[in-house]
Amino acid sequence: EIKNLEDIFEQRIANDEKIEPKDWMPEKYRKTHIRQMSQHAHSEIVGMLPEGNWISRAPSLRRKVALLAKVQDEAGHGLYLYSACETLGVSREELYRQLHSGEAKYSSIFNYPTLTWADMGAIGWLVDGAAIINQVPLCNTSYGPYARAMVRVCKEESFHQRQGYEIMLTLCNGTPEQKEMAQDALNRWWWPSLMMLGPTDDASVHTEQSMKWKLKRKTNDELRQQFIDQTVPQADILGLTIPDPDLKFNEETGSYDFGEIDWDEFWQVVKGHGPCNKERMNARVNAWNEGEWVRDAAVAYAEKQENKKVA
Ligand code: ACO
């Protein structure tokens, strides 16, 4: 019977039909979705920290409002994705437990420090730019709740990318010191942004199966190339130099060739040894512990309302 269910499932994937929470699905399909979607949710939540660092120091009220809205959006994306993940039968508590115990992964990119205001520009431009490239194809992923969540997330990411690019543009049209600050931010965020899109296809353990299930619609290397091709002309408009001496337009492929990525650095960061891994985890665990009284109060209040109804 399982064989039959599996055939029907495969046929539905082949027909580009969405798989919904109550539909039969192979256990591995469920597990790999829980893995990717929860990592994605954790990334949104941890991703609030590097930028949260600058909310109180934004250079103007307008910048502060935009940054605050952006960080709030990320909280929303995280909650949205946790909810979508819960439809696969895993509880929110368990997902938080995995994050707080260090068992769960979240994106490598959020383990780098935000040293200057220009980092807010570079993150919006590059990190959100890479996130859009990665997530637009996910609007078409095979699992219904994930695909639908991605539509709204991508619209908001697009605003984030623009606000970042506009910060860069303002700095690059400013004083020489401001432009230098923008260049310095690009120098520090460029390579980690390329790493963010995941290991090369030959080192990516999940790509083959995830492409078959239409969880992933493009490979890590395809997305990375697309990101580079899109971003280099944007750097030209800013008058900034991408910190890669091997970067060169290839007439034959119509794409940019680029230099060697430091994969040792990537795996170090993924394994918890990046510049800010400990700081990020501490911040999340402390927020959880300090919020305990709020959760207790909410539960006590809900119980009280429930008892009133009974009485
Ligand atoms: N940071 C941390 N871990 C990573 C990263 C990264 N940038 N890229 C890959 N990994 C991990 C994978 O999670 C996997 O580990 P696991 O087996 O313990 O889960 C391992 O490295 C091998 O990588 P892949 O086989 O290539 O993994 P996968 O097929 O899941 O591809 C990718 C990775 C592209 C990140 C995919 O999971 C994805 O598209 N996720 C959804 C988007 C997302 O999470 N974005 C997060 C940042 S965007 C943002 O929050 C603004």
Side-chain angles (χ1 to χ4, degrees), residues 35 39-40 105-106 108 134 196 204-206 216 220:
R35 179 187 64 79
Q39 286 175 3
H40 194 164
K105 288 198 172 76
Y106 58 87
S108 51
N134 167 267
M196 181 184 157
S204 164
V205 283
H206 302 297
K216 281 171 103 162
N220 301 357

Side-chain angles (χ1 to χ4, degrees), residues 143-172:
Y143 187 55
Y146 195 22
R148 288 188 290 273
M150 280 300 113
V151 174
R152 174 177 176 161
V153 168
C154 284
K155 284 189 183 153
E156 294 181 348
E157 294 291 359
S158 168
F159 155 66
H160 299 169
Q161 200 268 351
R162 280 152 200 247
Q163 71 89 36
Y165 193 71
E166 205 249 340
I167 291 174
M168 294 303 272
L169 206 54
T170 305
L171 290 172
C172 290

Side-chain angles (χ1 to χ4, degrees), residues 32 35-47 51 70 74 77 81 103-111 123 127-132 134-135 138 146 150 153 157 160 192-201 203-208 210-211 215-220 223-224 263 266-267 269-271:
T32 206
R35 179 187 64 79
Q36 178 167 323
M37 290 164 71
S38 64
Q39 286 175 3
H40 194 164
H42 299 324
S43 302
E44 298 282 356
I45 297 299
V46 177
E51 288 167 302
K70 181 191 182 224
E74 280 155 7
H77 297 174
L81 283 162
E103 267 167 64
K105 288 198 172 76
Y106 58 87
S107 184
S108 51
I109 193 77
F110 302 118
N111 293 304
I123 289 181
V127 176
D128 293 291
I132 294 172
N134 167 267
Q135 289 170 23
L138 291 175
Y146 195 22
M150 280 300 113
V153 168
E157 294 291 359
H160 299 169
S193 298
L194 299 189
M195 294 174 196
M196 181 184 157
L197 294 156
T200 54
D201 291 352
S204 164
V205 283
H206 302 297
T207 294
E208 196 186 338
S210 291
M211 292 288 284
L215 161 56
K216 281 171 103 162
R217 309 300 310 238
K218 289 190 176 184
T219 72
N220 301 357
L223 294 171
R224 193 163 14 251
W263 292 111
F266 171 74
W267 290 115
V269 176
V270 171
K271 286 181 189 144

